[in-house]
Amino acid sequence: MRKLRQSLFILIACVSLSSCATLFGGKVTEYQKTRPAPGEPQRELRIGALVADVLLFWPSLAVDFATGAIYKPKAATTK
């Protein structure tokens, strides 16, 4: 019983503490949350966060894609 409880705790901790882009990517902007309209360029992925999610805990990809944190923020335009 104790081993089951420890395993469950570890599983819950992994799920809640995963999602590299969500935890370490900073604030998610409106640009990252909004899907591009037809004809607009696709958003770029954060490759480092994608690789980290795949290697560490692949179900966390769902969290990063759902929050939009896996996408790079829009670059500031300078005039």
Side-chain angles (χ1 to χ4, degrees):
M1 181 69 172
R2 185 171 187 212
K3 196 170 208 169
L4 176 67
R5 194 175 342 156
Q6 288 176 344
S7 298
L8 185 60
F9 175 76
I10 290 171
L11 178 67
I12 290 171
C14 285
V15 170
S16 65
L17 297 176
S18 61
S19 305
C20 293
T22 302
L23 291 176
F24 304 113
K27 185 178 178 187
V28 178
T29 63
E30 199 60 37
Y31 172 78
Q32 291 169 292
K33 292 179 186 177
T34 308
R35 287 186 179 198
E40 288 184 358
Q42 296 294 314
R43 299 170 287 181
E44 293 183 42
L45 290 176
R46 293 180 176 180
I47 301 300
L50 178 69
V51 170
D53 281 344
V54 169
L55 292 177
L56 296 176
F57 190 68
W58 64 266
S60 63
L61 279 172
V63 175
D64 283 344
F65 276 105
T67 61
I70 196 78
Y71 301 107
K72 290 183 181 178
K74 188 174 185 176
T77 57
T78 56
K79 292 183 180 182

